[in-house]
Amino acid sequence: MILVQDDETRAAPAPIALTVEALPGTPTRTRVSDSRGVLATLTTGAKTVMMRGQTRTFTEQKRPFVDEFTRTTTSGFGMSPGGGNWSQSGSAALYIVPGGVGQISCDVANTSRHTTIVDLLTDVDVTAKVTITDAPAGATASIGISLGYTDTNNSNRARLLVTTAGVVQLALEKEVAGTVTALGAATQIGTGFAAGDWWRIRVERAGSTLRCRAWKDGTDEPATWLHSVTDTANPVGRVGFRALASTGSTGLPRVIQVDDLQVISGSWATSPTVTHDTWVRVLTAPFDGTWTPALANQIRAWAVDTSPDALAYAMMYVTGAPSVTSPELGDARVAGQSNYGPLAAGGTPTEGADFHDYMGLDWVFPNGETQSAAVDEQGCMDCSGFVRMVYGLHMGIPMVRTATFDGINLPRMTKDIGPSGPGIVVVQSTGVPPSLANIQIGDVPLFDADTSDPVAGQFDHNGIFLGVDSVGRYRFINSRKTPNGPTFADLGGESTLDGAGLYATSLRLVRRF
């Protein structure tokens, strides 16, 4: 027989038993434990609470990007939006962007010209448009997409060759320690090349498989690969271009142009991975050091809560994050992969996009300040805009812009968040990085990273501490110009608080909201 107890008489489950203790040292913290161990840590003066929850792994992959060369440079190719900085062999003056295209000058016969994006990839799928501005004379000219590039003597490439007779060929090659080996012989794919004809190359590495194809721009991409081989050489390296005017070329310099570089997909050799069971929740008011029944009930509720926390919201803007809209905000997009900002004339993303710019919404702040959304900044957030999106819009910390800094409200600008932001200062130093001994997951590190800033010691960058990664590095998530959006990877600078990188050495303050 099964006995069923009436709902009205069934005894309510006993609440989770909690023990509370004050921790030594500064800042002043309170530890809350249950039968399994530490459950929560509260900090006097701060709203954020570090909770034990389900174990999660945070990871990030390479962001696809397009470089349309919509900038003007007279020395080097500059920055590739979402890709990294271009680097070149030889004089940077041979690599320019006169406006709308990248241009490589082959001024010496049989001397390769290499330009690559500083970002190490393994598997990659990349395509670009290429042309030669005058018909080759004296000998063949070529332009190839490089991958697995580590230096001028080690790379793979899909190489488009144009003969003096106007024949267009495609070869697949590897170069190891300066020795070039044909993986796919130069094969005719067109005739009648005229100066300025654009051709598109596509090359892909998937494990040990290398394949490529090419076609005249404006025609359909072939359905099959021209060359497809198995080869393990140069498994990790940069993507870029290699141009050459072969031995016997006349009428030099020969100008080769490139455009519309697209990294369709790519994988980093070492992807950042952070795994832990810490969740970051936010109280409605700063903890005043007094343990109350209401706080106990809140901690018990959070112990079984799987709704998004601060870290989950932060991850909603990294590479590949799906778009989320809010009916309460007129179906505005409130989450999804974010850029840093619109591109300036030099190709660098511009600063200035706040959380409401990302959503495309004008905003009224609690202190009466108003701000219109910039049309060209929709889908973008700068570093403080990202932190405000996470801790302000999603986690409920009240925000202002440039007034009413009271230790409760979250200011707009990084320079104000440091000295006047919400919560408490965990650690601060002048001129050197502070100790990381007391940092907690969810804390906001602030940096003096911009050496061109006219105000010495002013904070100019911030992020959210995500935790210790798989190799023991203190990794933070932040929105930056070079990756063109939120990241905790190392493109354009390590997103770590330890070590000798830019952010580790320019860290000056850690704030706990």
Side-chain angles (χ1 to χ4, degrees):
M1 179 182 293
I2 299 174
L3 298 177
V4 178
Q5 186 177 21
D6 186 83
D7 286 345
E8 293 183 2
T9 59
R10 184 185 295 126
I16 301 171
L18 302 176
T19 59
V20 181
E21 60 179 323
L23 295 177
T26 57
T28 304
R29 295 175 299 154
T30 298
R31 175 186 291 165
V32 182
S33 302
D34 62 7
S35 60
R36 293 175 51 201
V38 177
L39 178 61
T41 304
L42 298 86
T43 301
T44 301
K47 290 183 178 181
T48 53
V49 178
M50 197 167 65
M51 291 289 307
R52 186 190 70 223
Q54 296 178 358
T55 298
R56 297 175 292 181
T57 294
F58 305 101
T59 191
E60 182 181 349
Q61 258 308 343
K62 173 66 183 174
R63 177 173 298 203
F65 70 93
V66 178
D67 191 341
E68 297 179 324
F69 294 92
T70 52
R71 56 189 180 273
T72 300
T73 69
T74 57
S75 180
F77 276 6
M79 180 184 287
S80 181
N85 291 310
W86 285 92
S87 176
Q88 58 282 318
S89 64
S91 171
L94 298 173
Y95 310 83
I96 66 173
V97 184
V101 296
Q103 185 167 295
I104 305 170
S105 179
C106 293
D107 60 335
V108 178
N110 200 35
T111 299
S112 296
R113 300 302 179 195
H114 297 267
T115 180
T116 54
I117 297 173
V118 183
D119 191 15
L120 298 181
L121 302 177
T122 54
D123 287 0
V124 65
D125 184 359
V126 58
T127 181
K129 288 165 48 177
V130 299
T131 191
I132 303 172
T133 60
D134 56 340
T140 296
S142 65
I143 174 67
I145 295 181
S146 302
L147 65 162
Y149 174 99
T150 53
D151 57 42
T152 57
N153 293 316
N154 295 274
S155 67
N156 299 322
R157 50 186 171 260
R159 182 183 176 202
L160 193 83
L161 302 96
V162 181
T163 72
T164 56
V167 175
V168 182
Q169 303 169 321
L170 182 66
L172 182 61
E173 301 173 342
K174 69 176 179 181
E175 184 172 359
V176 178
T179 299
V180 177
T181 302
L183 301 175
T187 302
Q188 181 174 315
I189 55 175
T191 58
F193 178 87
D197 282 351
W198 286 97
W199 282 73
R200 184 171 284 280
I201 308 170
R202 184 171 179 180
V203 59
E204 180 183 275
R205 171 188 286 281
S208 59
T209 299
L210 281 171
R211 47 200 177 204
C212 66
R213 56 191 176 215
W215 62 101
K216 193 170 184 179
D217 190 44
T219 65
D220 292 338
E221 179 176 356
T224 58
W225 298 100
L226 180 65
H227 298 301
S228 182
V229 301
T230 298
D231 194 88
T232 59
N234 304 311
V236 179
R238 303 177 188 175
V239 166
F241 297 102
R242 184 256 199 181
L244 177 70
S246 299
T247 300
S249 293
T250 58
L252 299 181
R254 182 134 294 115
V255 174
I256 292 173
Q257 292 183 332
V258 299
D259 195 12
D260 194 27
L261 174 78
Q262 300 178 31
V263 172
I264 299 167
S265 64
S267 299
W268 280 311
T270 303
S271 300
T273 302
V274 177
T275 300
H276 54 66
D277 64 358
T278 297
W279 292 54
V280 179
R281 301 292 184 184
V282 174
L283 297 165
T284 57
F287 179 53
D288 64 4
T290 303
W291 183 249
T292 66
L295 270 176
N297 289 336
Q298 180 65 83
I299 295 301
R300 291 188 180 102
W302 279 339
V304 295
D305 188 356
T306 58
S307 64
D309 71 330
L311 305 185
Y313 281 121
M315 291 297 295
M316 291 183 184
Y317 302 94
V318 298
T319 299
S323 292
V324 178
T325 58
S326 170
E328 292 81 10
L329 293 173
D331 291 326
R333 185 165 76 108
V334 296
Q337 178 176 302
S338 173
N339 291 331
Y340 181 89
L343 301 184
T348 303
T350 56
E351 186 178 13
D354 200 359
F355 74 98
H356 65 94
D357 296 305
Y358 172 93
M359 298 186 292
L361 297 175
D362 299 340
W363 207 260
V364 179
F365 295 91
N367 65 349
E369 290 179 294
T370 62
Q371 187 68 23
S372 299
V375 175
D376 62 344
E377 293 177 347
Q378 192 164 350
C380 303
M381 290 181 289
D382 63 17
C383 63
S384 54
F386 172 62
V387 169
R388 281 157 64 85
M389 174 66 87
V390 173
Y391 274 118
L393 183 76
H394 290 302
M395 301 305 294
I397 292 178
M399 293 177 283
V400 295
R401 282 191 54 80
T402 58
T404 321
F405 302 154
D406 57 5
I408 299 295
N409 295 323
L410 177 54
R412 166 66 184 106
M413 290 182 280
T414 302
K415 69 180 183 67
D416 299 318
I417 294 174
S420 307
I424 66 161
V425 172
V426 175
V427 64
Q428 183 174 10
S429 63
T430 301
V432 295
S435 168
L436 300 175
N438 293 323
I439 195 169
Q440 282 187 180
I441 293 170
D443 285 353
V444 175
L446 294 108
F447 308 86
D448 178 17
D450 186 356
T451 56
S452 66
D453 195 325
V455 181
Q458 180 171 277
F459 301 113
D460 48 50
H461 188 63
N462 61 8
I464 299 170
F465 178 49
L466 191 60
V468 177
D469 68 15
S470 58
V471 293
R473 306 296 303 276
Y474 284 65
R475 197 161 287 277
F476 71 105
I477 185 167
N478 59 130
S479 187
R480 292 193 279 120
K481 292 182 180 180
T482 303
N484 195 17
T487 183
F488 58 98
D490 299 330
L491 178 61
E494 293 183 338
S495 293
T496 55
L497 303 179
D498 62 314
L502 171 64
Y503 296 108
T505 56
S506 63
L507 176 67
R508 295 295 179 264
L509 184 147
V510 176
R511 183 169 281 281
R512 187 167 300 158
F513 288 176

